[in-house]
Amino acid sequence: ATGSRGDIYVAGTTSSPDFLTKNAAQPALGEARILRTTDLGVTWTRVGNPPQDVNPIVPDPVAPLVLFAGGGKGIYKSVDGGVTWRLVYAFLSLSSFSGGLAIDPGNHLRVATVEPFSGRLIRSVDGGEQWTAGGSPCRLSFCQGQLTADPTGSGALIVSSFGLWLSLDWGLTFQPLAPPGFWSPSVAAFVPSRPGWIYAGTAAGVSGSLALTTDFGATWASKAAPPNTFSAILNLAVDPDDANRLVAGTPDALYASSDGAATWTREPSNGGTFQPQTHLAFGILSRSCASAGGLFALGSAGAGSNAVAYSPDYGATWKTPKLTSVTSLTVGPGCAAYITRTLT
């Protein structure tokens, strides 16, 4: 509609998070690309909308309002709890981002990412304001690695992509992480309560093995893999407070161990209500947040896209799944869990 002064009025809807409106009935998107829960998944609150879909989000372990997120264009940073975002590192070319983003719990100013396709590790030591190139862990021009920081704050990093690569100097140099086994190194998890401890597995097809190092890979002790034809571990998480408590995702199910991977228990399905996607990351909460052992996971809830659900008993049972179109999950400080979602 046009007004007598030549003004033009436009009414309608938009999916743009930064489209300027005047006195809109709903001035902000009802959906959000990032949500957070601090009550074990009972409720989820909007954190914010970076300029594009992101995967994953990494909260600062010291400054609760500082958040980092990775998308196809690069790395975004928010210093106001997700209200506003800015691009702090642009990738050399547009691409899908597979989750290579981490903050050092021992020095929250150190941030690292694995740049898609180039395989370079890009590191920052000033909270993401300036970035420099580190080592090239994957040795391949199309590497897209998962990046994990040592929760004990040692400054160690593991890149999981076409093998396992370990850095002890926040990404300046890398060396192969080579657990014993007949197959290729495939998955690794730091033990949050034990510096130098890393569980790592090898895999070929659906078969795999598991081992433990207590000295950053110098020596290894073989452990039992989940007792199934599908013994390859796709994802692995260790209890923050108990080095002997592990949860592993294999091609057919979740498995839990309470004795340092000496034995495993196959977790039952939840009657079809929620089926964990074992190839997607899951997170174990500290016992200070959930005394019986809380576990978040992504999976199918019959809605055609990934939902998120909370288990109070390491995957034996699940609470009602929440949300749809969930792409990543991160367990953060203060008993918080963050998820990212696609809006486009």
Side-chain angles (χ1 to χ4, degrees):
T2 58
S4 58
R5 297 179 300 178
D7 297 330
I8 300 176
Y9 297 88
V10 179
T13 62
T14 178
S15 60
S16 170
D18 55 1
F19 188 86
L20 295 179
T21 61
K22 183 177 179 64
N23 295 330
Q26 181 177 301
L29 290 180
E31 295 280 4
R33 287 190 165 101
I34 302 170
L35 293 99
R36 176 182 60 233
T37 182
T38 56
D39 56 9
L40 307 181
V42 176
T43 59
W44 292 84
T45 58
R46 299 170 67 241
V47 173
N49 281 301
Q52 66 171 140
D53 288 339
V54 292
N55 173 13
I57 180 172
V58 179
D60 189 303
V62 175
L65 294 181
V66 176
L67 305 169
F68 288 87
K73 295 180 180 179
I75 304 301
Y76 297 92
K77 179 180 180 181
S78 174
V79 297
D80 52 15
V83 177
T84 60
W85 294 84
R86 59 189 175 92
L87 188 68
V88 292
Y89 181 76
F91 292 145
L92 296 178
S93 60
L94 299 181
S95 64
S96 60
F97 186 63
S98 63
L101 180 63
I103 299 177
D104 182 5
N107 179 353
H108 71 122
L109 296 180
R110 298 205 291 194
V111 189
T113 185
V114 175
E115 190 172 63
F117 296 106
S118 73
R120 298 186 308 164
L121 185 129
I122 308 298
R123 61 199 297 272
S124 172
V125 295
D126 62 357
E129 298 305 315
Q130 296 179 324
W131 298 78
T132 57
S136 297
C138 301
R139 312 291 198 271
L140 293 170
S141 61
F142 52 91
C143 166
Q144 291 199 38
Q146 295 293 319
L147 187 61
T148 306
D150 186 354
T152 69
S154 70
L157 288 165
I158 293 176
V159 175
S160 306
S161 180
F162 303 101
L164 299 174
W165 308 90
L166 173 68
S167 173
L168 299 177
D169 52 16
W170 197 247
L172 284 176
T173 60
F174 282 88
Q175 62 193 47
L177 192 65
F182 297 104
W183 305 289
S184 300
S186 58
V187 66
F190 287 106
V191 177
S193 59
R194 302 286 179 86
W197 285 39
I198 303 170
Y199 285 96
T202 66
V206 298
S207 299
S209 64
L210 183 67
L212 169 68
T213 177
T214 59
D215 49 18
F216 288 111
T219 60
W220 293 89
S222 294
K223 295 291 182 178
N228 190 287
T229 302
F230 301 96
S231 56
I233 298 176
L234 305 177
N235 277 301
L236 185 65
V238 184
D239 191 307
D241 309 304
D242 183 356
N244 292 316
R245 173 77 66 173
L246 296 83
V247 178
T250 74
D252 75 321
L254 280 183
Y255 286 82
S257 174
S258 60
D259 54 13
T263 61
W264 294 88
T265 301
R266 188 182 193 274
E267 300 296 2
S269 64
N270 197 31
T273 302
F274 179 76
Q275 299 294 333
Q277 295 291 333
T278 54
H279 66 284
L280 299 175
F282 40 81
I284 302 177
L285 290 174
S286 168
R287 298 291 181 87
S288 63
C289 305
S291 59
L295 174 73
F296 279 99
L298 306 184
S300 172
S305 61
N306 284 328
V308 59
Y310 170 74
S311 170
D313 44 23
Y314 297 103
T317 61
W318 297 93
K319 301 294 186 181
T320 304
K322 308 286 186 178
L323 310 173
T324 58
S325 302
V326 183
T327 55
S328 73
L329 166 71
T330 303
V331 174
C335 303
Y338 296 82
I339 59 97
T340 60
R341 304 174 73 199
T342 56
L343 295 186
T344 57

